[in-house]
Amino acid sequence: MLRVAFWLTALLFIPLGLYLYFLPPDVASLIGVSPMWLARGAGALVLAWGALQVAASFAPDRVKVGGLVGGHLLLVAALVPAALRGGDALPGAVRTALLVVSGVMAALAVMGILGTPSRRSRL
């Protein structure tokens, strides 16, 4: 179950990171990102997080699971208030996408918590 949580996270973050890193200027201006370095920095960070999830999936342990769960819950804590308080500033499709991603991240965090290896299994 842990490997699935790591791989699903990677499958979400790697394409998103690549898209943000190579974000076309016309799309950036459409969504209101004026400095391109901000989108590219976010893309690089998301891509690195996805690559880390792939690497961690090969030998999950308590520390890696803690990083997975903590990162997911922080992302949920950042996205849900933005989606709920966006008002008319966010299009409905963007709000829905934020809430769906938040739900997936919360579910993957729960999978990580439930699949955390016990200390006894390493003895």
Side-chain angles (χ1 to χ4, degrees):
M1 180 169 23
L2 279 177
R3 289 188 177 152
V4 171
F6 280 110
W7 275 97
L8 288 176
T9 300
L11 287 175
L12 177 70
F13 284 165
I14 288 174
L16 179 62
L18 286 170
Y19 181 73
L20 287 173
Y21 190 78
F22 295 108
L23 188 67
D26 56 335
V27 174
S29 65
L30 180 68
I31 60 174
V33 177
S34 53
M36 284 304 291
W37 64 266
L38 183 60
R40 292 208 168 95
L45 187 62
V46 170
L47 179 61
W49 180 252
L52 178 67
Q53 299 310 306
V54 170
S57 72
F58 290 107
D61 60 19
R62 295 174 68 86
V63 174
K64 293 172 189 163
V65 171
L68 175 87
V69 171
H72 285 12
L73 293 179
L74 284 172
L75 184 62
V76 169
L79 292 181
V80 169
L84 296 179
R85 294 184 189 173
D88 295 333
L90 288 177
V94 173
R95 178 179 297 144
T96 302
L98 289 175
L99 291 174
V100 167
V101 168
S102 296
V104 169
M105 292 294 106
L108 290 172
V110 169
M111 283 176 64
I113 291 169
L114 295 177
T116 302
S118 68
R119 291 181 186 213
R120 292 181 189 171
S121 67
R122 301 290 183 203
L123 295 178

